[in-house]
Amino acid sequence: MANSSAPPMFIIEERATPHPHELGMGAEIDRMVERLGDLAAMIARDRPIAEIVKETLGDISELFGIGELIIEITAEDVKPNLHWATYGIPAARAKAIVDNLSHEFIDDEMLSLVLSEKYRVSKNAYYVPSEEWLELTRSDPFMDHPSYYQHPENVKTPRGSADSWHEADSYKFTVRDNNGEMVGVLEASYPGTGKLLLKETLEQIELFVEMIAIAVGRERSHVALAKKRAEPSHKTELLEDVLKIASSVVSERDVRKLSEMVLTSVSSLFGFARVELIVYDESEGVFKWRALFGHSPRAESEVQHKSIPVDVVFEDLAEGRKIGKFAYFTRAEQRTSRQMAYEADLDENPIPATARKKDEMRKGDYLAFPLRDSASRVVGVLYPSNPLDGRVPDMATIETIEIFTSLAEVALENARLNADREQALRLGGQKTEQLSRILDMATGIMYIRDLDQMLDTILKTLARLLGIRRMVIGVKHAGEDVYKIEALYGFSAKAAEEIKKITYPIYQVDSIVDARPETRGDLYSRWWEKLGRITYYSPAEGVKAISKEEMAYYPDPDLIRMPRTGKGRWHEIDYMDTIVVDKMGTPIAYLELLKPRDDRIPDSDTIEIIEIFASLAGIAIENARMLQDHIESRQDAELYTDVLSHDIKNFNQAILGYLELLKSKMDTPDKVAVIDKIAEQVMNTSWLASNVRTMSRVTFDDVELVRTDLGGVLSDCIRSVSQYYPGRRIVVNHTIERNTYFILADELVRELFTNIFTNAVKYDSHEPLEIDVTIEPVYAEDRKRWRVAISDRGMGVTDDLKPIIFDRFSKAPKKKGSGMGLHIVKTLSHRYGGKVWIEDRVQGDCSMGAVFKVELPSA
C-alpha cells in the first residue's frame, strides 16, 4: 500500500454505532442482499468511483459493525479519480495514516508478506494477529506508527482471550479484477463486538469488496475508452495546447521567468516529472544550467555553480542517439563517467539492473532537444526525463515537442533581445523601436496563420524599421526543384505580378552558402561577399547579366547604366540575400534586399536585424508547412476511406448481379446454396467498407445532433435489412410508429440499428428468420429515455462474451465479419448520450438467441 504521489482521497469520520442485531452474524440477509443490489445499481448507472466506494464502506461498517476502514486503490489508471478512502477514522488520524503509507514506511516486501498464504483466512481476506505484527515491525520501528491505533497505549497490552480483538490486530481484504490482479487493499479494524470476525462474516464482507472490484474495473474501462477516443485527435489537440501556451511563453520578457515557464509547460503538456535547461555562455565558451524542474532544492542550488564543457553536451547530440528530426535519446547505461560528473541529482538516478522493456524510459534515461540560433548554432539544450507513464514518447509526441522547442528558441531569443532593448533604452530611440518591432513580430509568428500574410507582414515591418524601399522573399519548392517569389514590398501591382512568374533553380540559390569563395556564385553573379552570419552581398560589378523578365525588379532602367556614386554606396543592380535555413541548417528561403533607404550598403547592425527577421520567416514557413502537412494527411485519409468504400460497393453490386444471373442457371439446391454463400460474403465486404467509412466519420467529423424521429429510423432500417438480403425470408415483428419517439442524433444513427439488424441476420440460419422489435419509455435520474429491444433467434452470446462483445479489439471469437459493426453500435450509442447491452432472449439460456437493448435520451 505504498505510492509517493499526492493521493486523491476522502475521509468519513465517526458514524452512529450500529444496533447489536445489525452486527456481524446478526445482520439480516435480506438487508445485505438489498445493499448489494443498491451498489450494483450504482455501478450500472456509472456513478463516480468515489461515491460507490463511500457507500460500500458505509454498508460494511453498519452491517458488520466494523469501527474503522481504510482502502487504497492501487490501479494506476484509477488513482487520479480515487486513491485513498477512510471510514470511521478522525480526520487528523486518517491524514497521518495515509501520509505514512504514501511515503512507503510500510514497503512492498512487508505488504507481500502480510498478504501471503500464512495469513489467509478466506478467499481474499487476511488476518495478521497483533503478536505477529509487532514481531514483524520490531526490526524497523518506522513501519509502525501511533496514528494506526485508537489507543496506542494498549498496543503492548496482552490479549484478553483467544477470540478477543487486540489493538494491533488487523484484517486485510484484497480487491482483485477478473484476471486476479490486485487493484486495491481494504483494511478493517475494531469490530464493534470486540471479538475476532467469524469466517462467515469475512466471506460476507468479501461480497462487498467484490463490488468495489467491479466498480474499479468499470472505471478502468471508462478510462481506457476515453483514451482510445482521444487518440485520433491527440496530436491536433496537443498542437493547439502548445500554441496556446506558446503565446504567453513568447510574450514573457524576463529570462528567469521564461525558463521556468518553458520547463513547466514541457512537464504539464507532455507528462515529464523532470525537465532541465542549459544554455551556451558565449563569453566563457561553456554551457551553464539555466533552470531545473522537478529536482530537489539542493540540486537547484548546486548546479548554479556548475558549467558543462561543449564536447560533453555534444555527446548527447550524437547521430547514433537521434530518434526524431532533432530529438535525441540517451539511455542510462549509455552515459559516460564524464557525462555523469556534470549531471544534477546523480545519486538519485542509479542504473537499474533489470532487463529493459520495449519503449521503456526509466530513471537515468533522458531526451535532448537542442535549441539553435538563427545561424543554426546550438545555443541551449532542453532535457526532459522521468515520464509519468514510464515510456519513451511516440513519434507524434516527439514531433510536437520539437515544435514547442522551436517556439522556445524564439522565446529565448526574444528574452535576449529584450535585455538588449533595456540597454538600448539608455542609448537612443531608434534602436529601441527596432527591437520592439522584432519582439512584436516574434510574438505574431507564434500564431500559425496565412503564410503569405505573415511574410508580407515581415517585409512591411522591415520597411518601417529600416526604411528599405524594395525587397522580396523567395521560398523553396522542393517538389518543383525551384525557388518562387512568395512576398514582395515596394513594387507596383504589375511589376509584382511579373516578378512572381520568375523562378530560380534550387542549386543556384543554395550554392550561395557554399563555403568556398571560388564556387560561390551563379548564372547572374561572378562573386558574393559575406556580410553577416547568413547574409551575402552581390555588387553590381559582379553581375553577369540581367534577363528580360528580371527587368521588372527595376522601376527606373536608366539607373542600371549609371556608375556607382562612391565607396559604400548602393548601386541599382546591387542585391543582398539573407538565407533562411531550417533547424538542420538547410536553406528553405531567402530574403533579398534590392533598395535600401539611404542608398548605402547596410551596416552590421542593419544586417543583424534583417537576419533576425529572416529567422522569423523560417519559423513561419516551417510551422505553416507542418500544420498543412497534418491537415492534408487527415484529409487524404478521409478521402481514401470514402473512395474505397464507394468503389467496393460498386464492384460488389456488379458481382451480385452476376451471381444472381448465375444462380438462375443452377439446376440443384446445393449449387444454389453455394451461390447464396458467395453472395453473403460479398455483402459482408460491403458492410465492412461501410463500417470503415462510418468509423472514419465518427472519429474525425464534428458532432452536430438534431431532433430525430427514432420510429422513422427503425422503420427505414427494418425495410432496408430485407433489401440487403434478398435471398433470406426475414420477418420483423413490431408495432413501431413514426413521429412518436424522438431523440438527439445525426444521420449516422441509422448505422447503429442497421448493424444490429445485420448481426441478427448473420448469426441466424433459420428460415424464415424472425426478429422482434419493441420500444418503450424508461426513466433514469428523472429523465425520460427510449429503450429499443431487438430480439433474434440466432446462436446467442455467452455470458463471458457479453461484457466485451462491443470492444473493437476484444478476444471474442468472430465467425463472420470484422467485429467492427458492434463496436460502431457502442460508439454511436455513447455519441448520443446512451448505452447498449446484450441479454438472453430466454433468460438463462443464451443458445435461444440474444436481445440487443439500446437506451437513448428522449428529445
Side-chain angles (χ1 to χ4, degrees):
M1 296 175 67
N3 189 286
S4 59
S5 60
M9 63 179 290
F10 66 78
I11 298 171
I12 302 299
E13 296 190 74
E14 297 295 331
R15 189 163 181 173
T17 303
H19 297 296
H21 73 275
E22 294 179 322
L23 302 178
M25 288 297 296
E28 298 175 2
I29 297 300
D30 289 345
R31 285 198 61 204
M32 185 180 72
V33 172
E34 180 184 351
R35 294 293 181 89
L36 290 170
D38 291 343
L39 292 174
M42 290 179 68
I43 295 171
R45 292 197 303 269
D46 282 334
R47 302 305 301 163
I49 181 71
E51 185 178 327
I52 295 171
V53 171
K54 176 181 176 181
E55 194 68 25
T56 306
L57 297 185
D59 290 343
I60 294 174
S61 177
E62 288 189 13
L63 290 172
F64 306 104
I66 305 301
E68 294 185 356
L69 294 159
I70 181 168
I71 186 169
E72 179 189 10
I73 303 299
T74 58
E76 293 294 335
D77 42 2
V78 179
K79 281 183 182 181
N81 297 328
L82 179 66
H83 189 175
W84 298 93
T86 67
Y87 196 97
I89 306 175
R93 269 188 60 218
K95 291 176 181 177
I97 293 172
V98 170
D99 187 60
N100 276 274
L101 296 178
S102 298
H103 287 83
E104 301 186 354
F105 286 107
I106 299 179
D107 57 25
D108 291 339
E109 184 178 351
M110 175 61 77
L111 182 62
S112 298
L113 180 60
V114 298
L115 297 180
S116 65
E117 285 298 322
K118 178 179 179 181
Y119 300 108
R120 186 194 295 271
V121 289
S122 65
K123 181 182 178 182
N124 288 313
Y126 302 80
Y127 167 60
V128 183
S130 61
E131 296 81 2
E132 302 226 8
W133 171 251
L134 295 175
E135 182 63 31
L136 289 171
T137 57
R138 193 185 306 279
S139 61
D140 187 354
F142 288 104
M143 288 189 186
D144 211 5
H145 193 274
S147 64
Y148 298 162
Y149 309 110
Q150 289 182 357
H151 305 288
E153 67 276 9
N154 294 336
V155 168
K156 295 186 178 180
T157 301
R159 188 185 299 274
S161 62
D163 64 343
S164 64
W165 178 264
H166 188 273
E167 186 75 26
D169 285 348
S170 68
Y171 285 102
K172 290 180 171 58
F173 296 84
T174 54
V175 184
R176 300 185 183 275
D177 64 12
N178 291 335
N179 298 320
E181 176 190 353
M182 189 171 73
V183 294
V185 179
L186 171 69
E187 185 167 331
S189 305
Y190 300 104
T193 59
K195 301 290 185 179
L196 297 180
L197 300 178
L198 300 174
K199 183 176 181 181
E200 183 177 353
T201 303
L202 295 173
E203 291 173 346
Q204 290 172 349
I205 294 176
E206 283 181 335
L207 296 176
F208 287 85
V209 175
E210 287 179 8
M211 299 307 292
I212 296 178
I214 295 171
V216 171
R218 189 74 167 252
E219 187 75 11
R220 298 180 84 178
S221 298
H222 292 331
V223 171
L225 179 61
K227 182 178 179 182
K228 186 175 182 180
R229 285 177 174 174
E231 286 175 357
S233 59
H234 174 68
K235 184 176 179 182
T236 302
E237 292 173 355
L238 192 57
L239 184 59
E240 290 173 354
D241 290 341
V242 166
L243 295 175
K244 288 176 184 176
I245 292 177
S247 63
S248 56
V249 169
V250 173
S251 62
E252 177 57 55
R253 309 297 169 88
D254 183 271
V255 175
R256 181 184 61 80
K257 290 182 180 178
L258 170 63
S259 301
E260 292 174 355
M261 288 175 67
V262 169
L263 268 57
T264 302
S265 299
V266 170
S267 174
S268 61
L269 283 170
F270 307 107
F272 289 99
R274 284 186 174 180
V275 192
E276 302 158 0
L277 175 65
I278 62 173
V279 295
Y280 183 66
D281 187 324
E282 201 158 356
S283 63
E284 298 184 28
V286 295
F287 284 88
K288 291 188 174 181
W289 295 95
R290 171 60 58 79
L292 299 179
F293 177 89
H295 287 266
S296 64
R298 175 182 60 81
E300 293 179 2
S301 175
E302 289 180 354
V303 298
Q304 293 179 6
H305 309 291
K306 284 185 179 181
S307 58
I308 311 173
V310 172
D311 60 318
V312 172
V313 174
F314 274 75
E315 287 185 50
D316 295 329
L317 308 180
E319 191 66 25
R321 300 184 184 182
K322 196 170 187 180
I323 62 171
K325 188 175 181 182
F326 50 94
Y328 301 81
F329 176 53
T330 297
R331 293 181 172 86
E333 56 269 24
Q334 292 177 310
R335 297 176 299 170
T336 64
S337 57
R338 191 157 177 256
Q339 280 181 300
M340 290 190 285
Y342 294 98
E343 291 182 1
D345 284 350
L346 175 62
D347 57 332
E348 295 184 16
N349 286 331
I351 300 176
T354 57
R356 184 180 289 272
K357 300 176 182 178
K358 182 181 179 183
D359 296 329
E360 178 186 6
M361 187 170 176
R362 54 177 55 167
K363 284 188 176 181
D365 295 349
Y366 53 85
L367 294 165
F369 294 87
L371 309 177
R372 300 179 184 271
D373 63 10
S374 55
S376 293
R377 298 177 303 178
V378 176
V379 294
V381 182
L382 191 66
Y383 289 105
S385 61
N386 292 23
L388 300 181
D389 62 0
R391 299 176 65 83
V392 179
D394 59 27
M395 191 50 61
T397 303
I398 290 290
E399 290 172 355
T400 311
I401 299 176
E402 289 175 341
I403 294 174
F404 187 84
T405 304
S406 300
L407 304 178
E409 290 173 353
V410 177
L412 290 169
E413 183 74 4
N414 283 354
R416 184 185 68 80
L417 292 173
N418 184 63
D420 292 343
R421 187 176 71 167
E422 293 296 327
Q423 183 179 1
L425 287 172
R426 297 188 296 269
L427 301 176
Q430 182 181 5
K431 190 72 174 179
T432 302
E433 170 67 13
Q434 292 172 347
L435 291 173
S436 178
R437 294 283 187 180
I438 292 171
L439 290 170
D440 292 340
M441 177 59 63
T443 302
I445 288 289
M446 295 307 102
Y447 298 96
I448 295 179
R449 54 185 179 185
D450 181 78
L451 179 60
D452 292 340
Q453 181 184 351
M454 181 59 69
L455 297 180
D456 284 340
T457 302
I458 288 173
L459 294 184
K460 289 175 182 177
T461 305
L462 272 176
R464 287 196 299 269
L465 283 176
L466 306 176
I468 300 173
R469 287 183 277 176
R470 293 199 307 273
M471 53 190 156
V472 301
I473 293 179
V475 178
K476 179 185 286 187
H477 291 257
E480 302 175 50
D481 205 29
V482 297
Y483 280 83
K484 293 182 179 180
I485 306 302
E486 301 283 0
L488 307 92
Y489 180 84
F491 297 93
S492 67
K494 182 178 179 181
E497 185 179 351
E498 293 299 319
I499 291 171
K500 284 194 172 184
K501 295 177 182 178
I502 303 172
T503 61
Y504 297 96
I506 285 179
Y507 76 85
Q508 176 184 314
V509 178
D510 289 359
S511 69
I512 296 174
V513 299
D514 194 303
R516 295 168 295 164
E518 67 273 13
T519 63
R520 186 181 292 137
D522 53 39
L523 299 174
Y524 306 97
S525 179
R526 292 185 179 88
W527 72 82
W528 292 84
E529 181 181 350
K530 190 173 184 181
L531 297 185
R533 293 195 304 270
I534 50 175
T535 298
Y536 303 86
Y537 165 62
S538 174
E541 294 77 4
V543 175
K544 298 176 183 178
I546 300 174
S547 68
K548 179 180 178 181
E549 293 79 9
E550 287 185 310
M551 290 301 295
Y553 283 108
Y554 308 104
D556 191 349
D558 291 340
L559 294 177
I560 294 176
R561 293 184 289 272
M562 298 291 290
R564 192 181 298 275
T565 57
K567 184 178 181 181
R569 305 294 295 183
W570 187 268
H571 190 276
E572 182 68 10
I573 59 172
D574 285 354
Y575 59 99
M576 187 176 78
D577 285 354
T578 299
I579 305 301
V580 180
V581 298
D582 63 14
K583 298 298 176 190
M584 307 309 295
T586 303
I588 59 172
Y590 64 86
L591 192 159
E592 186 167 276
L593 186 152
L594 292 141
K595 190 70 170 177
R597 173 179 54 192
D598 53 4
D599 282 330
R600 299 188 65 85
I601 298 172
D603 59 19
S604 59
D605 286 345
T606 301
I607 290 172
E608 181 180 358
I609 293 173
I610 293 174
E611 288 183 340
I612 290 172
F613 274 85
S615 298
L616 294 176
I619 294 170
I621 292 169
E622 284 200 282
N623 285 354
R625 286 180 172 175
M626 195 173 302
L627 183 62
Q628 185 61 32
D629 288 345
H630 175 72
I631 292 171
E632 289 177 357
S633 296
R634 174 171 162 174
Q635 290 173 341
D636 287 346
E638 293 181 24
L639 175 62
Y640 297 152
T641 301
D642 287 346
V643 171
L644 180 64
S645 176
H646 180 268
D647 286 354
I648 287 177
K649 287 183 177 180
N650 285 344
F651 295 152
N652 285 350
Q653 199 60 42
I655 293 172
L656 288 171
Y658 290 126
L659 288 174
E660 195 63 30
L661 181 62
L662 185 61
K663 181 178 175 180
S664 66
K665 299 181 180 298
M666 294 295 101
D667 53 2
T668 65
D670 290 345
K671 293 179 180 179
V672 170
V674 170
I675 297 299
D676 286 340
K677 191 69 175 178
I678 296 172
E680 182 179 346
Q681 293 305 315
V682 171
M683 283 301 302
N684 285 340
T685 61
S686 292
W687 275 114
L688 176 59
S690 177
N691 283 335
V692 168
R693 184 173 183 274
T694 299
M695 204 64 222
S696 174
R697 294 181 63 187
V698 170
T699 302
F700 293 116
D701 287 1
D702 295 330
V703 179
E704 185 175 349
L705 306 182
V706 297
R707 195 165 185 263
T708 303
D709 178 10
L710 179 58
V713 169
L714 288 169
S715 298
D716 293 344
C717 293
I718 290 169
R719 184 176 64 255
S720 298
V721 72
S722 297
Q723 296 173 352
Y724 292 147
Y725 295 95
R728 302 291 303 274
R729 290 178 56 201
I730 301 173
V731 177
V732 181
N733 304 312
H734 72 91
T735 58
I736 304 297
E737 298 177 358
R738 292 180 182 270
N739 301 315
T740 304
Y741 333 98
F742 290 91
I743 59 172
L744 288 178
D746 53 21
E747 71 276 8
L748 293 179
V749 69
R750 286 173 170 75
E751 302 295 334
L752 189 162
F753 291 105
T754 299
N755 271 295
I756 295 178
F757 281 119
T758 303
N759 193 76
V761 175
K762 283 183 182 179
Y763 292 96
D764 189 349
S765 59
H766 294 97
E767 288 290 347
L769 184 154
E770 195 169 351
I771 300 173
D772 301 324
V773 183
T774 63
I775 184 168
E776 62 178 344
V778 294
Y779 295 86
E781 300 177 1
D782 298 327
R783 185 174 180 184
K784 184 178 179 180
R785 302 165 73 90
W786 293 112
R787 180 179 293 169
V788 179
I790 301 175
S791 306
D792 62 47
R793 290 159 176 76
M795 59 191 298
V797 179
T798 57
D799 290 342
D800 59 322
L801 297 184
K802 287 185 176 73
I804 63 172
I805 195 72
F806 294 102
D807 295 343
R808 174 65 183 93
F809 297 107
S810 73
K811 296 181 179 180
K814 302 178 178 67
K815 296 185 178 180
K816 305 178 182 180
S818 65
M820 188 182 293
L822 291 184
H823 178 62
I824 288 173
V825 170
K826 179 180 178 181
T827 302
L828 290 174
S829 296
H830 290 174
R831 181 186 181 98
Y832 307 138
K835 59 183 179 179
V836 61
W837 70 96
I838 298 178
E839 297 178 359
D840 295 331
R841 187 175 68 85
V842 177
Q843 187 173 359
D845 188 353
C846 67
S847 66
M848 299 299 289
V851 182
F852 284 76
K853 293 190 176 182
V854 180
E855 214 173 84
L856 300 172
S858 175

